[in-house]
Amino acid sequence: MTDLERRVAELERRLDALESGPAAPTVAPGTFWALEGLKEQLGDVASGGVLFTGAVRLPGAEGGREYEWQYGAVTDELLASDWADVAEAFAALGHGLRLRLLREVLGGRTSATELAELDDVGTSGQIYHHLRQLTAAGWLRSAGRGRYEVPAGRVVPLLVALTAARPA
């Protein structure tokens, strides 16, 4: 087993341990419990890593939808990857109307018809143009019959991206 394979296997083991851990923090609020857990899981990884996670409840039918998700990556691997591969995903988020459409879909307006009824969103053709861009970038997917949804694996990352983009 190569050093890289060993490191990846170890990270996968550590992420599995993180994912199977308690859902709520077991330490006092205000401490860096997630950061300390990440550092413990990374152990000997000299470059460190990043972790983002979330437990989200959104409005919707039947009492709403819940999403729990986490993802971690080693710094060396992130720095070595081709960042151009994610340009389309970031570009799709680079328009105010597309961000509004995502917010509305997360809030329960899932059909193109409902979205077209909103104020200041443009024509139905413009809405479909933006929905196609969001779908192509993976931020939305068709749920059939003109309905859209944010894929479960994209809900927390979207909220993380929005949080990261806020002024410090």
Side-chain angles (χ1 to χ4, degrees), residues 80-166:
S81 66
D82 184 358
W83 291 8
D85 291 344
V86 297
E88 183 181 346
F90 280 122
L93 298 178
H95 193 285
L97 180 55
R98 288 193 289 272
L99 289 172
R100 181 172 180 206
L101 292 173
L102 283 169
R103 187 185 67 210
E104 295 293 340
V105 170
L106 283 175
R109 291 179 199 248
T110 61
S111 76
T113 303
E114 291 172 318
L115 295 168
E117 293 170 352
L118 297 170
D119 292 331
D120 302 321
V121 294
T123 67
S124 60
Q126 291 169 323
I127 291 171
Y128 278 107
H129 167 76
H130 291 297
L131 292 172
R132 276 193 302 277
Q133 286 184 308
L134 290 166
T135 302
W139 294 110
L140 284 179
R141 72 172 165 218
S142 174
R145 296 186 172 182
R147 296 187 126 12
Y148 293 85
E149 64 185 8
V150 176
R154 286 292 202 150
V155 172
V156 172
L158 173 62
L159 297 176
V160 167
L162 290 169
T163 303
R166 288 184 167 190

Side-chain angles (χ1 to χ4, degrees), residues 10-11 14 37-46 48-50 73-74:
E10 178 63 15
L11 282 173
R14 290 176 178 179
L38 174 64
K39 287 163 56 176
E40 181 180 317
Q41 293 296 318
L42 287 171
D44 296 333
V45 178
V50 296
V74 174

